[in-house]
Amino acid sequence: MDGRLFEDVDDGTRAAIMRATFEALCEHGYANLTIDRIGDSFPKSQSLLYHHYDGKDDLLRAFLDYLLDHHESDWPEAEDTSPDEQLRALLDHLIGGPDDAELSGFRKAMVELRAQASHDEDYRAHFTRSDEVFRERFESLIEAGIEAGEYDAVDAGEVATFLVTVLNGLVVETVTTDGADPDRTREAIATYLDQMLGRRTDR
Amino acid sequence: MDGRLFEDVDDGTRAAIMRATFEALCEHGYANLTIDRIGDSFPKSQSLLYHHYDGKDDLLRAFLDYLLDHHESDWPEAEDTSPDEQLRALLDHLIGGPDDAELSGFRKAMVELRAQASHDEDYRAHFTRSDEVFRERFESLIEAGIEAGEYDAVDAGEVATFLVTVLNGLVVETVTTDGADPDRTREAIATYLDQMLGRRTDR
């Protein structure tokens, strides 16, 4: 989550609503979230929230779409860095740094929303798309690495699918156990990639 | 979930309560579960449930412990099969077969309970222990495989941790998206193990 995410100059009100939703979700979690609590983080009139969104789930679905659209439009261009560097940087970003309260609150809310997705078609459609977006991104970076001679000719789709599954498992473990160790997962992913992708030019 | 799980001849009432809990949880999920609904699957007097357990969460925690204890005491003995065969059979069992309604209901409930674990210390303690039990089992099988010359001298703890994370990710994806593909994950795990564990004697 970097700050730029919510600085949408063409649509300041929407960006402010999205930021308020993010902050309230991190602080209160899904179960305790209300439109009023989102309103507490919103600098403009709260009636705007009620005007634009039909309840908290409608607003949350818009928020999840907003986040994912930003991720998709925000993949860095491949000009200066190799596919391997981009893949590892993206994984590093998704694994996350040392525990910070905001990331932790956000991940808890995501696990709560995943639980909603088990019986709510709209949330389910979101998480289906979300996993697919990251899967496709990993796959295209691996294919670019093969193309560039950085990687062996592996099954890029299989590796990409596996990476998404590992990241989903890590988020759940981090939120729901005291035994998760993101640094250990980071190392295990690096070992996996080294074993699977083989040839690399610059390491 | 095989049928034997709930045939505890030394403690028939407890086993019957655990079976009733399992059936009600698969059918109703966590959010809609009540002691009365568990009682509907219980052949004896419902008052026994209220007598022994202090609400649905108390009963569910006993149920989760019961399941895990059964897993732990039920690891097959190593006499007839190699560590590699045992590891792959256990993974196969945990990945699960073609979708069946009971397994699907059970996994949905587990994802709901994981979401509870994000803010409930008792559930959190359970899932911490549960992940640890499977991690240790994988690790000891991999170490036995190294000892037996089936595997290269890998970091068994790292591989075991990775496998638990993958399985947790798969459960979440299966329950919360339409894009999960257990057979693809099964193949990716096999590829991972082949790459990581190297030398094998009989394949």
Side-chain angles (χ1 to χ4, degrees):
Chain A
M1 297 299 117
D2 58 41
R4 286 181 305 120
L5 187 59
F6 302 106
E7 286 169 17
D8 187 337
V9 288
D10 291 334
D11 188 358
T13 299
R14 182 168 172 242
I17 292 173
M18 296 296 116
R19 173 183 279 282
T21 305
F22 174 71
E23 289 174 3
L25 189 62
C26 293
E27 185 178 345
H28 301 291
Y30 170 74
N32 297 315
L33 193 68
T34 60
I35 293 265
D36 280 352
R37 285 184 162 165
I38 296 170
D40 291 341
S41 301
F42 184 56
K44 304 187 187 183
S45 163
Q46 297 199 13
S47 66
L48 267 173
L49 299 179
Y50 288 101
H51 178 72
H52 283 293
Y53 300 97
D54 189 18
K56 92 172 177 182
D57 287 303
D58 189 41
L59 174 45
L60 279 173
R61 283 187 291 263
F63 167 74
L64 290 172
D65 285 343
Y66 182 86
L67 276 193
L68 192 57
D69 289 345
H70 253 275
H71 263 295
E72 272 191 284
S73 65
D74 212 32
W75 305 131
E77 286 302 315
E79 284 164 20
D80 298 327
T81 53
S82 72
D84 183 62
E85 285 165 334
Q86 289 178 64
L87 176 63
R88 292 184 190 249
L90 177 57
L91 286 166
D92 225 48
H93 174 72
L94 294 170
I95 292 166
D99 208 23
D100 85 55
E102 193 171 77
L103 176 63
S104 165
F106 181 70
R107 284 183 161 176
K108 279 186 187 183
M110 286 302 109
V111 169
E112 286 183 283
L113 288 170
R114 285 265 183 182
Q116 295 301 308
S118 73
H119 52 77
D120 178 310
E121 278 306 312
D122 290 329
Y123 281 122
R124 188 177 183 84
H126 167 78
F127 286 110
T128 300
R129 181 176 149 236
S130 171
D131 281 1
E132 188 56 30
V133 162
F134 286 98
R135 195 176 294 127
E136 281 174 6
R137 179 61 181 170
F138 291 142
E139 186 170 350
S140 75
L141 286 173
I142 293 164
E143 279 170 353
I146 295 169
E147 190 80 15
E150 285 192 300
Y151 296 148
D152 289 341
V154 297
D155 180 340
E158 182 179 300
V159 176
T161 300
F162 205 53
L163 289 173
V164 171
T165 304
V166 170
L167 292 169
N168 281 330
L170 177 65
V171 169
V172 167
E173 289 175 1
T174 306
V175 166
T176 68
T177 74
D178 299 314
D181 183 346
D183 286 333
R184 193 148 175 78
T185 301
R186 192 189 313 275
E187 284 166 29
I189 288 176
T191 309
Y192 169 68
L193 292 179
D194 288 346
Q195 286 280 341
M196 288 300 295
L197 301 176
R199 165 165 31 106
R200 287 161 304 280
T201 54
D202 53 36
R203 279 179 300 131
Chain B
M1 296 301 119
D2 57 42
R4 286 179 307 120
L5 188 60
F6 301 108
E7 287 168 17
D8 187 338
V9 287
D10 292 334
D11 188 358
T13 299
R14 184 169 172 241
I17 292 174
M18 296 297 116
R19 173 181 279 282
T21 305
F22 174 71
E23 289 175 2
L25 189 62
C26 293
E27 185 178 346
H28 302 291
Y30 171 74
N32 296 318
L33 193 68
T34 60
I35 293 266
D36 281 351
R37 284 185 163 165
I38 295 170
D40 292 341
S41 300
F42 184 55
K44 304 186 186 183
S45 163
Q46 297 200 13
S47 66
L48 268 173
L49 298 179
Y50 289 101
H51 179 73
H52 284 294
Y53 300 97
D54 190 17
K56 92 171 177 182
D57 287 302
D58 189 40
L59 175 45
L60 278 172
R61 283 187 293 262
F63 167 74
L64 291 172
D65 285 344
Y66 181 86
L67 275 193
L68 192 56
D69 290 344
H70 253 277
H71 263 296
E72 272 192 283
S73 64
D74 212 32
W75 304 132
E77 286 302 314
E79 285 163 20
D80 298 327
T81 52
S82 73
D84 183 62
E85 285 166 333
Q86 288 178 64
L87 176 63
R88 293 186 190 247
L90 178 57
L91 286 166
D92 225 49
H93 175 71
L94 294 170
I95 292 166
D99 208 24
D100 84 56
E102 194 172 74
L103 176 63
S104 165
F106 181 71
R107 285 183 160 176
K108 279 185 186 182
M110 287 301 108
V111 169
E112 285 183 284
L113 287 171
R114 286 266 182 181
Q116 294 301 308
S118 74
H119 53 76
D120 177 310
E121 278 306 312
D122 290 328
Y123 281 123
R124 189 177 181 84
H126 167 78
F127 286 111
T128 300
R129 182 177 148 238
S130 170
D131 281 2
E132 188 55 29
V133 162
F134 286 99
R135 196 177 292 126
E136 282 175 6
R137 179 63 181 171
F138 291 142
E139 187 170 350
S140 75
L141 287 173
I142 294 164
E143 281 170 352
I146 295 169
E147 191 79 13
E150 284 191 304
Y151 297 148
D152 290 342
V154 297
D155 180 340
E158 182 179 300
V159 177
T161 300
F162 205 54
L163 289 173
V164 171
T165 304
V166 170
L167 291 170
N168 281 329
L170 177 65
V171 169
V172 167
E173 289 174 359
T174 307
V175 167
T176 68
T177 74
D178 297 316
D181 183 346
D183 286 332
R184 193 147 175 80
T185 301
R186 193 188 312 275
E187 282 166 30
I189 288 176
T191 309
Y192 169 68
L193 291 178
D194 288 346
Q195 286 281 341
M196 290 298 296
L197 301 176
R199 165 166 32 107
R200 284 160 307 279
T201 54
D202 52 40
R203 278 178 302 130

